[in-house]
């Protein structure tokens, strides 16, 4: 979830809580104010009606005077109870419904006569007004939240623009190109501090990358040279006529180890260069033609192991990548299918418009397929391979965002490489 959306959610949640609590308090205070106002008016009417009764003809008081706002009844004795406030419903024949009234009931002696008097005031209009005010407040709140959210989004986008620019620069940053990351200044101090920290970090990374690159290149040259000398000396010793069989076996063993060390050094250097993104050239590569050339170069080994090869080139597959890496990728896949095959065995190669599938027969199964692409991991521990072939394949696929998947189906080891358009 984006920071802006998360901020808006917190803001809306807090606003909703404040509005709900504030609305309830407003409703209660408004209700108390209305009740106090009605009660005050009832007491005012009480005093007014008592004065009117005192001034009127006493014969008029013998009749029960009853209206919605006033009820006067002559009584024999005055009740000891004090005046009371209560709510009641009175039917309105005009509107055809009951209307709520607040009434003040009390007893009073006027001109020697006892009366039970009730003064009323309708409260329906006040309740309706309260509901209308509450609805209006809710609509105003929604309008306020909507406008504030829109304004907050626009303002936040403007404020956070430098941050997204920095993020974009980090995404497009390529260490292998030794780019100097220069970021613009912002009016926000925190973004300026972030820019300075990233610039310092990128400078340090570039320096360390260059040191590592120089070390890799130097190691490649310095190690290969003595290895070549050792191999040459061992070959000369093998040609010596004075060598015994045991000595020749020892020299042959040392020569084999030297060859293995040379291949290991070369594979690790290639892997390091791939991971450091040191291959930039891009060409259009025909996978079908490249596979045919690799199979032709491996023809002798394929015949020795009695392996049958079936090609299912449904479509011509073209990919865009560095030609040297394309050669390594396809060659390692084919060599892997040959080395880890049975004798006799079979290989099936299938190309589609966006994928390459290589399946080979084999007797060994590998539990965790993901570990097969790690360095020095072999499907058969007794194998003489370096365990780097599929690691190099995975590194190349990661460089170009290809997807490589290993599986076993019906006794066949299958590797599928999917190439995005």
């Amino acid at each position: 979830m984006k920071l802006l959306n998360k901020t808006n959610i917190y803001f809306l949640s807090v606003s909703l809580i404040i509005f709900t609590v504030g609305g309830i308090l407003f409703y209660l205070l408004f209700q108390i104010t209305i009740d106090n106002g009605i009660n005050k008016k009832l007491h005012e009417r009480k005093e007014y009606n008592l004065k009117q009764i005192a001034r009127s003809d006493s014969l008029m008081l013998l009749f029960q005077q009853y209206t919605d706002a006033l009820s006067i009844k002559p009584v024999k004795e005055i009740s000891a109870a004090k005046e009371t406030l209560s709510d009641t419903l009175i039917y309105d024949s005009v509107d055809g419904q009951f209307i709520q009234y607040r009434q003040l009931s009390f007893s009073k002696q006027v001109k020697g006569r006892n009366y039970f008097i009730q003064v009323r005031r309708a409260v329906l209009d006040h309740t309706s007004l309260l509901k209308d005010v509450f609805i209006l407040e809710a609509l105003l709140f929604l309008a306020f939240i909507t406008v504030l959210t829109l304004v907050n989004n626009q303002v936040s986008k403007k404020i956070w623009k430098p941050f997204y620019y920095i993020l974009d620069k980090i995404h497009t940053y390529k260490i292998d190109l030794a780019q100097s990351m220069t970021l613009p200044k912002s009016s926000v101090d925190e973004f300026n501090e972030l820019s300075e920290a990233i610039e310092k970090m990128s400078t340090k990374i570039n320096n360390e990358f260059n040191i590592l690159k120089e070390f890799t290149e130097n190691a490649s040259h310095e190690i290969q040279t003595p290895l070549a000398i050792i191999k040459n000396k061992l070959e000369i010793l093998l040609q010596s006529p004075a060598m015994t069989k045991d000595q020749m076996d020892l020299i042959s063993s040392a020569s084999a180890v030297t060859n293995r060390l040379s291949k290991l050094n070369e594979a690790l250097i290639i892997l390091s260069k791939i991971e450091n993104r040191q291959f930039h050239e891009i060409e259009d590569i025909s996978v079908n033609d490249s596979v045919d050339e690799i199979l032709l170069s491996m023809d002798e080994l394929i015949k020795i192991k009695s392996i049958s090869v079936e090609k299912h080139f449904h479509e011509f597959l073209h990919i865009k990548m560095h030609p040297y890496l394309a050669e390594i990728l396809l060659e390692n896949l084919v060599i892997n299918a040959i080395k880890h095959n049975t004798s006799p065995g079979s290989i099936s190669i299938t190309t589609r418009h966006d994928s390459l599938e290589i399946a080979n027969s084999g007797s060994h199964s590998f539990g965790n397929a993901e570990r097969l692409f790690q360095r020095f991991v072999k499907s058969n521990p007794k194998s003489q391979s370096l365990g780097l072939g599929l690691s190099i394949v995975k590194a190349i696929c990661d460089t170009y965002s290809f997807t490589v998947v290993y599986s076993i189906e019906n006794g066949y080891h299958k590797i599928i490489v999917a190439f995005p358009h």
Side-chain angles (χ1 to χ4, degrees):
M1 181 182 295
K2 288 189 175 181
L3 180 62
L4 179 59
N5 295 335
K6 199 166 187 178
T7 304
N8 284 337
I9 289 175
Y10 283 128
F11 170 75
L12 292 175
S13 300
V14 173
S15 299
L16 181 61
I17 293 172
I18 294 175
F19 169 76
T20 303
V21 175
I24 293 173
L25 293 176
F26 174 78
Y27 182 88
L28 294 175
L29 291 174
F30 197 85
Q31 185 69 49
I32 292 171
T33 303
I34 289 176
D35 288 343
N36 291 336
I38 292 175
N39 295 340
K40 183 179 180 181
K41 289 293 183 182
L42 288 175
H43 283 89
E44 290 176 356
R45 285 192 177 186
K46 167 191 171 184
E47 298 299 328
Y48 173 78
N49 289 326
L50 288 175
K51 291 179 181 179
Q52 289 298 107
I53 293 172
R55 294 173 184 173
S56 63
D57 191 347
S58 60
L59 291 176
M60 296 295 294
L61 300 177
L62 296 176
F63 300 95
Q64 177 180 353
Q65 299 181 22
Y66 184 90
T67 64
D68 290 348
L70 178 64
S71 173
I72 302 175
K73 294 180 182 179
V75 293
K76 294 180 179 180
E77 296 180 358
I78 295 177
S79 174
K82 297 181 179 180
E83 60 183 36
T84 58
L85 283 168
S86 61
D87 292 330
T88 185
L89 294 174
I90 298 176
Y91 184 76
D92 189 334
S93 58
V94 177
D95 295 335
Q97 62 180 358
F98 287 92
I99 298 177
Q100 183 181 357
Y101 281 82
R102 175 70 55 81
Q103 64 182 12
L104 176 63
S105 304
F106 61 94
S107 299
K108 193 71 175 178
Q109 187 181 66
V110 181
K111 292 182 179 181
R113 291 182 179 274
N114 301 325
Y115 300 96
F116 177 72
I117 304 172
Q118 289 180 313
V119 183
R120 302 185 184 90
R121 185 178 177 86
V123 297
L124 178 62
D125 293 338
H126 299 289
T127 304
S128 300
L129 176 61
L130 181 60
K131 291 180 179 177
D132 293 339
V133 170
F134 192 79
I135 293 173
L136 179 61
E137 184 187 2
L139 294 176
L140 288 175
F141 171 77
L142 293 176
F144 169 75
I145 290 298
T146 302
V147 173
L148 194 60
T149 301
L150 294 175
V151 172
N152 182 54
N153 285 341
Q154 295 301 320
V155 173
S156 297
K157 286 180 181 178
K158 186 176 181 180
I159 293 176
W160 285 89
K161 189 175 180 180
F163 171 79
Y164 289 112
Y165 180 82
I166 295 172
L167 198 62
D168 183 64
K169 292 286 287 184
I170 294 174
H171 284 158
T172 57
Y173 176 73
K174 294 182 179 179
I175 185 175
D176 51 297
L177 298 181
Q179 295 174 330
S180 58
M181 188 177 291
T182 304
L183 302 173
K185 297 297 180 181
S186 169
S187 58
V188 182
D189 293 338
E190 287 78 5
F191 290 156
N192 288 331
E193 292 178 8
L194 178 63
S195 298
E196 292 176 4
I198 291 176
E199 288 176 358
K200 291 180 181 178
M201 182 182 67
S202 65
T203 302
K204 185 177 180 181
I205 290 174
N206 283 332
N207 293 335
E208 293 182 354
F209 173 77
N210 290 329
I211 293 173
L212 179 62
K213 183 179 177 181
E214 290 178 4
F215 171 78
T216 302
E217 292 173 352
N218 293 336
S220 172
H221 176 74
E222 297 298 331
I223 294 177
Q224 286 297 107
T225 300
L227 285 176
I229 295 174
I230 293 172
K231 287 169 61 178
N232 186 45
K233 297 293 185 182
L234 291 174
E235 289 175 0
I236 293 174
L237 285 174
L238 284 173
Q239 296 173 5
S240 175
M243 299 293 295
T244 64
K245 184 179 181 304
D246 291 339
Q247 291 173 333
M248 293 182 66
D249 290 341
L250 289 173
I251 294 173
S252 296
S253 177
S255 179
V257 172
T258 304
N259 288 332
R260 180 179 174 83
L261 182 59
S262 179
K263 291 180 180 179
L264 178 62
N265 179 63
E266 183 179 355
L268 288 174
I269 291 172
I270 291 174
L271 194 57
S272 176
K273 289 183 176 181
I274 293 171
E275 291 175 345
N276 291 333
R277 306 293 195 272
Q278 293 181 232
F279 298 94
H280 307 296
E281 184 182 348
I282 298 294
E283 292 184 10
D284 186 74
I285 307 298
S286 172
V287 175
N288 303 53
D289 295 340
S290 298
V291 170
D292 283 335
E293 292 176 3
I294 294 170
L295 289 174
L296 183 62
S297 65
M298 299 289 173
D299 184 63
E300 185 176 350
L301 180 59
I302 291 173
K303 288 180 179 179
I304 292 175
K305 296 193 69 172
S306 301
I307 296 174
S308 62
V309 179
E310 295 181 2
K311 294 184 292 184
H312 305 281
F313 292 168
H314 298 301
E315 297 184 39
F316 285 99
L317 176 59
H318 289 265
I319 55 178
K320 292 186 180 297
M321 60 186 300
H322 194 284
Y324 180 59
L325 294 186
E327 180 184 351
I328 294 176
L329 172 67
L330 299 175
E331 191 174 82
N332 279 348
L333 289 174
V334 174
I335 291 176
N336 181 77
I338 295 173
K339 280 187 176 181
H340 302 286
N341 213 320
T342 56
S343 182
S346 61
I347 295 175
S348 173
I349 303 176
T350 305
T351 60
R352 297 181 177 85
H353 74 284
D354 62 350
S355 66
L356 169 67
E357 176 185 309
I358 299 182
N360 64 275
S361 55
S363 57
H364 296 282
S365 61
F366 197 79
N368 189 348
E370 292 297 326
R371 290 191 64 244
L372 198 61
F373 295 100
Q374 297 177 4
R375 298 183 184 186
F376 306 111
V377 176
K378 309 174 187 178
S379 59
N380 181 11
K382 297 181 180 179
S383 173
Q384 295 299 315
S385 67
L386 299 176
L388 290 174
L390 291 183
S391 298
I392 295 175
V393 168
K394 185 68 166 62
I396 296 174
C397 289
D398 290 342
T399 300
Y400 293 97
S401 299
F402 300 159
T403 303
V404 57
V405 179
Y406 166 83
S407 62
I408 300 178
E409 296 180 10
N410 300 322
Y412 275 80
H413 298 254
K414 183 184 297 184
I415 294 180
I416 301 176
V417 181
F419 308 98
H421 292 290

